[in-house]
Amino acid sequence: MINFNKASFLKSTTTLKDAPKGRKKEILIVGRSNAGKSSLINALTGRKNLAYTSSKPGHTRLLNYYDIDDQFYLVDAPGYGYAKGGIDLDKLFYTMMDAYLEDNLYLKAALLLMDGRREFNESDDEMIEYFSSHKIPFVIILTKADKLNQKEKSSAMKYMKDCEIPIEDYLFVSVNDERLLNKVKAKIEALLK
Ligand SMILES: Nc1nc2c(ncn2[C@@H]2O[C@H](COP(=O)(O)OP(=O)(O)OP(=O)(O)O)[C@@H](O)[C@H]2O)c(=O)[nH]1
Ligand SMILES: [Mg+2]
């Protein structure tokens, strides 16, 4: 069993070249800006401010490495689908991701976070396609489940079906629901095997 509460921030990088020494298996966390990536890291580790969260989108601009129980690294990636002040974050995102994925033997899987309340769009489709084509195992996390009514849940499930994501490959999650968080932890442990 992995103790998720034994977590520490290691470093921020822009490229794989600067990845922490003594590499470990990695689980990458990606999703549109504001999807709840940093919040999920805090919730999984039972810490308030391990990862910096913000109501303003586009906060995380680097790859942030977190060591979990000396067993693996959680890697928080910048959000995509957000352009600000003329900077095309998507271009930065894909450049960074391509560099990160290249020859990364340590990456075991990705958690693709999607805000369950928002309309899914082509940038979400693009991410699903991106991981599929790079042959990276991924699980979709539908975040902010506490804010979802039944109709919104159903439409999220329909979108999963349309994207041919099997039911065991997606999860509804809320940062304040221990039961759902435990499901994510179990999923991560399975993906690391
Ligand atoms: N109600 C609710 N709000 C959440 C949940 N998870 C995250 N949020 C809120 O969503 C907002 C964005 O969360 P972040 O964790 O900063 O999102 P992010 O994906 O890291 O965003 P970037 O770093 O900008 O890409 C914050 O205001 C969080 O409080 C959840 O499970 N329920
Ligand atoms: Mg963030």
Side-chain angles (χ1 to χ4, degrees):
M1 279 285 279
I2 296 171
N3 180 0
F4 280 78
N5 290 348
K6 238 180 103 195
S8 59
F9 170 71
L10 274 181
K11 69 187 291 191
S12 298
T13 73
T14 50
T15 75
L16 194 58
K17 287 187 197 72
D18 301 322
K21 297 225 171 16
R23 302 276 304 277
K24 296 191 173 87
K25 291 176 187 175
E26 292 171 15
I27 299 286
L28 177 69
I29 298 191
V30 290
R32 261 155 87 183
S33 203
N34 212 44
K37 299 175 291 296
S38 304
S39 301
L40 180 67
I41 291 177
N42 289 334
L44 289 173
T45 56
R47 300 268 285 277
K48 263 210 168 84
N49 297 310
L50 186 62
Y52 199 89
T53 63
S54 167
S55 54
K56 283 197 226 100
H59 192 83
T60 308
R61 296 279 182 97
L62 300 158
L63 292 164
N64 294 310
Y65 285 80
Y66 298 90
D67 180 292
I68 310 295
D69 197 18
D70 238 4
Q71 309 257 356
F72 75 102
Y73 298 145
L74 261 184
V75 184
D76 189 11
Y80 57 88
Y82 182 71
K84 191 192 173 197
I87 309 166
D88 189 346
L89 281 182
D90 282 0
K91 213 164 155 193
L92 281 177
F93 176 82
Y94 281 109
T95 307
M96 189 186 271
M97 272 308 113
D98 286 343
Y100 171 76
L101 293 176
E102 198 179 323
D103 300 325
N104 189 349
L105 302 171
Y106 296 87
L107 180 66
K108 283 290 165 188
L111 305 181
L112 176 49
L113 270 60
M114 296 186 184
D115 185 335
R117 295 174 309 176
R118 284 167 69 175
E119 288 286 316
F120 302 110
N121 67 10
E122 53 296 346
S123 65
D124 297 313
D125 297 342
E126 224 177 274
M127 267 336 277
I128 291 173
E129 178 53 33
Y130 188 79
F131 287 118
S132 304
S133 65
H134 285 79
K135 301 213 167 16
I136 295 159
F138 66 96
V139 167
I140 294 180
I141 308 275
L142 297 159
T143 60
K144 312 184 192 183
D146 52 297
K147 297 274 190 195
L148 293 181
N149 60 34
Q150 203 46 51
K151 191 165 166 264
E152 289 166 318
K153 272 195 183 154
S154 302
S155 92
M157 287 169 80
K158 181 174 181 308
Y159 177 75
M160 291 296 106
K161 200 171 173 216
D162 292 345
C163 293
E164 294 174 12
I165 307 293
I167 198 146
E168 63 274 14
D169 285 351
Y170 70 86
L171 287 166
F172 285 98
V173 173
S174 167
V175 292
N176 39 39
D177 188 323
E178 208 58 46
R179 187 184 63 90
L180 295 177
L181 290 170
N182 283 336
K183 280 194 179 185
V184 179
K185 292 180 192 175
K187 201 72 180 169
I188 291 175
E189 295 218 26
L191 289 165
L192 286 168
K193 293 241 163 78

